[in-house]
Amino acid sequence: EAGVTQFPSHSVIEKGQTVTLRCDPISGHDNLYWYRRVMGKEIKFLLHFVKESKQDESGMPNNRFLAERTGGTYSTLKVQPAELEDSGVYFCASSGGTGRHEQYFGPGTRLTVT
Amino acid sequence: DAKTTQPPSMDCAEGRAANLPCNHSTISGNEYVYWYRQIHSQGPQYIIHGLKNNETNEMASLIITEDRKSSTLILPHATLRDTAVYYCIVRPPWSYGKLTFGQGTILTVHP
């Protein structure tokens, strides 16, 4: 069974540009999460989908970030316009239970804003 | 979520048991203890979780003290591939799955 996949693995963009990250969760997992780690900091929660609905978006830093989950399958995280402080590694995770079960993480997308 | 305290780093010899401690003195009665690890350049990986009883799986064992204020993750026979950052996370069921990562413990397994 395929794990959580993320695309691209690495993205380099200029400040002010737009970038869209994609996450494909494990098939059948209703819960999908986004996290990120910026340089030197801890991994931080961004938001949580249950199917196509946003369950918790308390970690989204500002309105330059937009997450969607079409049809409750894959998810995208768009950053528009990107700022230097958005550089970091963005992780996606999914889980199949009620939220109390383990989360399976993807390999991450390394975003570099120059 | 309850705050956890872990040592910043630990060393272990290959083939020996690695015992990683975690303090969670403010844990609530229904909060679970989870352990994850992050091997360099990979996404975090689930290891094990427990509520009050000791747990064991193919990766590790989790020992939770009777008062639940601390726990120990045990890797019985550490290998070089176990070198990673290990995170102890306490989480209530109503957090809808959000994980709160701290600094973790950098475990270095040496030959």
Side-chain angles (χ1 to χ4, degrees):
Chain A
E1 179 181 294
V4 177
T5 57
Q6 294 186 244
F7 182 83
S9 58
H10 194 179
S11 180
V12 181
I13 61 172
E14 293 182 353
K15 176 182 174 180
Q17 290 185 323
T18 298
V19 63
T20 300
L21 313 181
R22 173 171 171 143
C23 168
D24 286 81
I26 292 172
S27 178
H29 279 190
D30 287 340
N31 296 281
L32 187 149
Y33 315 82
W34 285 97
Y35 295 83
R36 75 171 179 177
R37 166 179 258 155
V38 295
M39 182 69 73
K41 299 290 183 65
E42 300 161 3
I43 299 172
K44 292 292 189 184
F45 167 81
L46 295 178
L47 90 159
H48 170 207
F49 284 100
V50 177
K51 297 184 180 179
E52 68 276 9
S53 299
K54 293 176 183 175
Q55 183 70 51
D56 179 0
E57 50 185 328
S58 62
M60 294 288 266
N62 52 60
N63 58 10
R64 295 186 295 103
F65 289 75
L66 175 64
E68 295 180 322
R69 189 178 183 194
T70 305
T73 55
Y74 70 92
S75 174
T76 58
L77 180 64
K78 180 191 292 187
V79 185
Q80 180 182 29
E83 298 289 344
L84 298 179
E85 63 265 25
D86 301 331
S87 295
V89 183
Y90 290 75
F91 295 105
C92 175
S94 71
S95 73
T98 59
R100 293 172 56 180
H101 300 284
E102 59 268 29
Q103 296 180 19
Y104 296 90
F105 283 76
T109 293
R110 180 171 295 278
L111 174 64
T112 303
V113 183
T114 62
Chain B
D1 294 357
K3 180 179 173 62
T4 61
T5 304
Q6 299 178 250
S9 64
M10 295 183 65
D11 287 337
C12 178
E14 188 177 20
R16 304 297 293 269
N19 298 279
L20 293 95
C22 178
N23 285 318
H24 32 79
S25 58
T26 60
I27 192 170
S28 298
N30 62 350
E31 288 182 318
Y32 285 73
V33 180
Y34 282 76
W35 283 84
Y36 282 77
R37 72 180 182 183
Q38 185 180 20
I39 297 171
H40 182 61
S41 298
Q42 298 181 21
Q45 176 189 26
Y46 165 80
I47 301 174
I48 198 167
H49 75 280
L51 181 61
K52 56 180 69 175
N53 297 321
N54 298 337
E55 303 287 346
T56 296
N57 63 20
E58 66 279 3
M59 290 183 66
S61 295
L62 173 60
I63 308 297
I64 302 174
T65 58
E66 190 169 346
D67 62 9
R68 304 208 326 119
K69 293 185 177 181
S70 65
S71 60
T72 301
L73 178 74
I74 301 172
L75 307 179
H77 305 286
T79 70
L80 299 179
R81 288 174 294 180
D82 291 321
T83 293
V85 182
Y86 287 77
Y87 298 97
C88 169
I89 298 170
V90 174
R91 192 175 106 206
W94 60 80
S95 70
Y96 299 107
K98 175 174 67 175
L99 295 173
T100 302
F101 289 86
Q103 298 283 359
T105 296
I106 301 171
L107 175 68
T108 303
V109 181
H110 52 84

